[in-house]
Structure formats: C-alpha cells, structure tokens
Amino acid sequence: MPQYLQAGLWGLLGGSALIVGAAVAYLVSLPQRLVAGIMALGAGVLISAVAFDLMDEAYRRGGFDSTALGFLGGAAAYTIANVIISRRGAKHRKRSGSNPDAALPPAEAGAGLAIAVGALLDGIPESIVIGVGVLEGAGVSWAMVMAVFLSNVPEGLSSASGMKTAGHGPVYIFGVWGAIALASGVAAAVGNIALAGANPELIAATTAVAAGAILAMLIDTMIPEAAESSHEYAGLITVAGFLAAFVLSKAGG
C-alpha cells in the first residue's frame, strides 16, 4: 500500500473519533467527569507526543533553528486562528460539562458550525504529524493516533449537542462531521505527499509547526475544559496519559 494512502487512513481513523463523539451525544448522556477524564488523558498523551516524538524528531532532522522557529510559528498561527474562531462561537468546542448545550447559548445559532470549523483547525496539525510519521517507512506513532482520537471524542460530543440545539437534524450533523473526518485523512495524505523527499530542515520546521500548534491548542482548549470538570483529579489523569505515551514511545524505539 502506498505511503500516502497509509497516512490518509491513519488520519481518517483519528478524525473518525469526531463521528463517534457526535453519535454518543445522540444516543447516551455520559457522566461529566468521565468525558473530562478522557480529555485529560488525551492531553497527557499529546503533551508526551509533542515532547518526545515531535520536538525530538524535528531537532534530529533540522537542528535548533528550524525547530525553534517552527515551534513558535505554529503556536502563533494557531493562536491567531483560534481567536478568530472563538469569537464566532467556538470558544468551548471541547466543552465537557454535564450540560453540553450550555456551552452554546441558543442565541448563537451558528456556534455549532463554528465549533466544527474549530475542530478542523485543531485537527490539521495533528493530521500533518500523522502523515509525516509515515515518511521513510518510520511508521505511524500509536501514541499520537491514540491522543488524537481521545481529544476528538469530546469535541464531537460538544458540537453535536450545539448543532442539535440550533435545530439541525442528524443528516446535517453527521454530514458535517463525516466531511471533517475525511478532511483529516486528506490532510494526512497531502502532508505525506508534499514532504516526501523534502529537505530535512523543511520537514523539521513543519513538524515543529504542528507541535507548537498542538501545544497551544492543549493550553487554550483541552486542559481548561478537562480541569473544569475533573477538578483535583485532572493532574493525576494527565500524568497517567503522559506516562503511558512515554512508555509506548520508548518501547517502540
């Protein structure tokens, strides 16, 4: 199977968690702390992936300059885009509260769609990382895919609830999330194709850009929402996720 197709399928797997979250929002009502705990666990795994997979790999390929510039640039680009999306109703797109509809006031009829756009914004760096990971036969990082999946489930939960509140039916809601999941797969494949045979410094900078964007996303969205509901347990759960990913990365090495 071609590398770009492998990358696309892995990216699609990570994005499919959005559909899972949306389906759960329609079928059951999960305990507030359970969703927050899943989010905290995913945050810990993502932090570990950024530290031990992405930044180490970027530094190995391109040295400090490319890594540092890409890391700061990715964080800055994500922050600017996040501010724009948040002001249009997607501030709490990873809301894990017991009443998900509360994250989206009825007056903000377009908030659900804004959250969907925000999910795409969050998912692009993650998908690119998955695509780059398949380059040179290195294989995809299981820790990265797991973290992406865990972070996307509560996002799907939140947005599906908001869209339902705004009066949208299941065809619209699952159509939107299906398109975003497909876009995640396409982004992973495109990242793999675009960077195949590229200069190591360019690959390093791209990896670092994704790392900076992911870390900024964690601080701006996932961690505050997870801590809001899991309270004093958020730190412990996040550390457990970090340790699990750390063990996986070293065992795989």
Side-chain angles (χ1 to χ4, degrees):
M1 181 183 296
Q3 282 189 355
Y4 72 88
L5 187 55
Q6 295 180 41
L9 291 175
W10 282 115
L12 181 62
L13 175 62
S16 67
L18 295 165
I19 303 176
V20 172
V24 170
Y26 257 86
L27 299 175
V28 297
S29 178
L30 293 179
Q32 175 181 355
R33 288 199 171 188
L34 176 59
V35 179
I38 293 173
M39 195 179 300
L41 188 70
V45 176
L46 275 176
I47 292 172
S48 180
V50 168
F52 296 107
D53 292 336
L54 305 187
M55 292 299 285
D56 270 356
E57 179 65 15
Y59 180 78
R60 184 185 69 81
R61 287 178 179 271
F64 181 77
D65 292 345
S66 298
T67 301
L69 288 174
F71 192 60
L72 292 174
Y78 175 86
T79 299
I80 293 171
N82 184 53
V83 168
I84 295 172
I85 294 298
S86 295
R87 290 177 178 175
R88 285 162 172 76
K91 181 177 181 180
H92 297 293
R93 57 183 173 275
K94 293 184 186 288
R95 171 71 67 181
S96 59
S98 58
N99 181 13
D101 293 348
L104 299 169
E108 297 186 62
L113 186 56
I115 288 177
V117 176
L120 185 59
L121 170 66
D122 296 341
I124 287 175
E126 298 167 348
S127 297
I128 290 176
V129 165
I130 291 174
V132 172
V134 182
L135 286 172
E136 300 179 357
V140 71
S141 168
W142 277 98
M144 191 68 206
V145 174
M146 180 174 68
V148 170
F149 195 93
L150 288 174
S151 68
N152 281 341
V153 169
E155 198 158 2
L157 277 165
S158 172
S159 187
S161 297
M163 290 178 176
K164 189 175 181 180
T165 299
H168 295 296
V171 173
Y172 175 89
I173 294 173
F174 289 105
V176 168
W177 286 117
I180 293 177
L182 182 60
S184 297
V186 171
V190 169
N192 181 273
I193 294 172
L195 294 174
N199 185 290
E201 290 192 358
L202 176 59
I203 297 177
T206 302
T207 303
V209 164
I214 290 170
L215 187 56
M217 179 270 290
L218 284 169
I219 302 302
D220 288 345
T221 61
M222 282 187 70
I223 292 176
E225 299 291 3
E228 180 183 17
S229 297
S230 53
H231 303 301
E232 63 271 15
Y233 298 105
L236 178 61
I237 297 171
T238 302
V239 168
F242 182 97
L243 179 60
F246 176 76
V247 171
L248 283 175
S249 67
K250 295 307 178 183

